[in-house]
Amino acid sequence: MDARRRIPATDRVLDDPVLAGAVERLGRDVVRAVVHDAQRRARHGQLDPERVIAAAREALPASAGGMRRVVNACGVLLHTNLGRAPLSDAAVEAVRAAAGTTDVELDLTTGRRGPRGRGVRAALTEAVPAAEAAHVVNNGAAALSLVATALAAGREIVLARGELVEIGDGFRIPDLLTSTGARLREVGTTNRVRFEDYRDAIGPDTGFVLKVHPSNFRITGFTSQVPVAALRELPVPVIADIGSGLLRAHPALPDEPDAQRTLAAGADLVTASGDKLLGGPQAGLLLGSAELVRRLERHPLARALRVDKLTLAALEATVRGPATPTAQALDRGEADLLDRARRLAASLRERGIDADARTSTATVGGGGAPGVELPSAAVTLPSRYAAALRTGRTPVLARVEHGQCLLDLCAVAPADDAVLLDAVTAVG
Ligand SMILES: *Cc1c(COP(=O)(O)O)cnc(C)c1O
């Protein structure tokens, strides 16, 4: 009989208890698409018709969403293309709890409307004592956009020429600032700026002075910048975009600015991202003067930039909760990482795979800590593994260096070593 006639009909395939259960969980369209794909492969002779149900079962996605989990073994801790910081278990739990109906904007004691985001704002001002108030928006760019619109639309923002930064994917901070209707007043040269440059540029049209952390590059050599502590002498607000989202100083990143020290040094407001070194969800943090934060919150644009309950929940749990995966990664010792790499390489060799272990250098990435090298360790494999791992059943993003495929363990939780082992074995 023609093999095609043996391909089971869709309704019959969907009678399979596993696939029928998946319809409840994932929805009919998702399961149908998986079934149709298996039937198509059988029609093209790529699959035994008897295996259609089994193949459909195997191809069922973990969730109805199309995004897939990827193991980050590329040695860039906060990779923007991988969604930057992974959430802590505490944050994931908080998201799950907030996903239904919640008291996000309801005061349960009075039964009246309550202030939105009160929990996360309290968590942020407790974590950063120098901040009188806090406001949360959609991302770091939104935080800058709100500040520029509310405090400088139709007026001037004074900033150093060396801080006109392009962050990534063509996103330029100066373009964002001018799109709000503010004008830029650049001071100094690419490599040097002095206090007097700022002072002479200040006038009745000045909205604020902005300092931008050059988060993905460094200018070295004959340079000078003006610290926030000096700029505070100026008769206008000083806003610092620290980017990285560190709330307090971190010993592994001594040169990275943090909100507490920047505000204590005299900045009126700090803007930062939630999903970089803070290790939380995508969000933009605005911390500092109560008066300025109130002006931002009351600006009509604030409504367009506000975050949803899931972000509020994840961010509060990130700030209050246990060490985030990002913080844990920063604390991992090179010796421990090398130990793990050796154990993994030994297990892979037992399975006949040409693996070895070596020390490696990881980076922070995602616009944080430029030039900071994180001592790390990696499993090395032949280079052809890189593409195979990326397109495997559990995708793994590795790094290719000197003709080798490196699985850098810096950003891999120890609990995921087994996942890595299985992924490599599966494509080996
Ligand atoms: C990352 C970054 C931004 C943009 O923040 P997003 O959260 O990506 O919108 C702005 N400024 C600096 C200094 C940054 O590092």
Side-chain angles (χ1 to χ4, degrees), residues 56 130-131 161 172 203 234 289 306-307 309 329 332 338 354 388 411 415:
R161 183 155 292 153
R172 294 179 166 171
L234 298 169
S289 138
R306 83 173 190 185
V307 292
K309 60 188 177 177
R332 262 173 215 134
L338 190 56
D354 179 15

Side-chain angles (χ1 to χ4, degrees), residues 84 139-141 167 171 173 213 215 241 243 273 276 367:
R84 294 195 183 152
N139 59 11
I167 298 293
F171 167 57
I173 287 184
H213 179 49
S215 53
D241 172 18
S273 301
K276 295 181 180 173

Side-chain angles (χ1 to χ4, degrees), residues 75-219:
V76 180
L77 190 52
L78 301 166
H79 199 302
T80 300
N81 303 153
L82 294 179
R84 294 195 183 152
L87 293 183
S88 64
D89 289 345
V92 172
E93 270 317 303
V95 168
R96 188 183 289 278
T101 41
T102 66
D103 62 346
V104 63
E105 223 174 289
L106 180 74
D107 183 336
L108 289 170
T109 23
T110 62
R112 298 223 180 94
R113 186 172 183 281
R116 189 180 175 90
R118 56 195 180 280
V120 73
R121 281 187 277 126
L124 285 167
T125 49
E126 281 163 36
V128 183
E132 294 169 0
H135 180 62
V136 179
V137 291
N138 184 51
N139 59 11
L144 276 174
S145 174
L146 182 57
V147 174
T149 308
L151 309 183
R155 305 177 69 201
E156 284 184 354
I157 299 171
V158 175
L159 80 170
R161 183 155 292 153
E163 295 177 8
L164 297 171
V165 178
E166 175 168 325
I167 298 293
D169 196 26
F171 167 57
R172 294 179 166 171
I173 287 184
D175 294 348
L176 173 83
L177 296 172
T178 52
S179 77
T180 66
R183 294 186 304 277
L184 299 188
R185 180 77 183 264
E186 299 167 30
V187 296
T189 59
T190 305
N191 55 329
R192 286 175 78 85
V193 60
R194 298 185 189 83
F195 176 76
E196 293 72 30
D197 297 323
Y198 284 100
R199 190 197 56 201
D200 296 348
I202 303 285
D205 244 9
T206 308
F208 58 87
V209 166
L210 178 66
K211 263 194 83 71
V212 179
H213 179 49
S215 53
N216 49 8
F217 72 102
R218 266 204 293 200
I219 298 180

Side-chain angles (χ1 to χ4, degrees), residues 214-291:
S215 53
N216 49 8
F217 72 102
R218 266 204 293 200
I219 298 180
T220 56
F222 185 57
T223 65
S224 72
Q225 285 100 35
V226 183
V228 164
L231 294 176
R232 73 187 302 179
E233 305 302 326
L234 298 169
V236 293
V238 176
I239 318 280
D241 172 18
I242 61 168
S244 73
L246 267 192
L247 298 183
R248 312 284 289 263
H250 193 288
L253 306 167
D255 298 329
E256 196 61 16
D258 63 271
Q260 173 63 21
R261 280 186 302 179
T262 308
L263 289 170
D268 296 282
L269 270 183
V270 160
T271 69
S273 301
D275 54 358
K276 295 181 180 173
L277 290 167
L278 181 61
Q282 177 186 303
L285 316 182
L286 290 143
L287 306 167
S289 138
E291 193 247 318

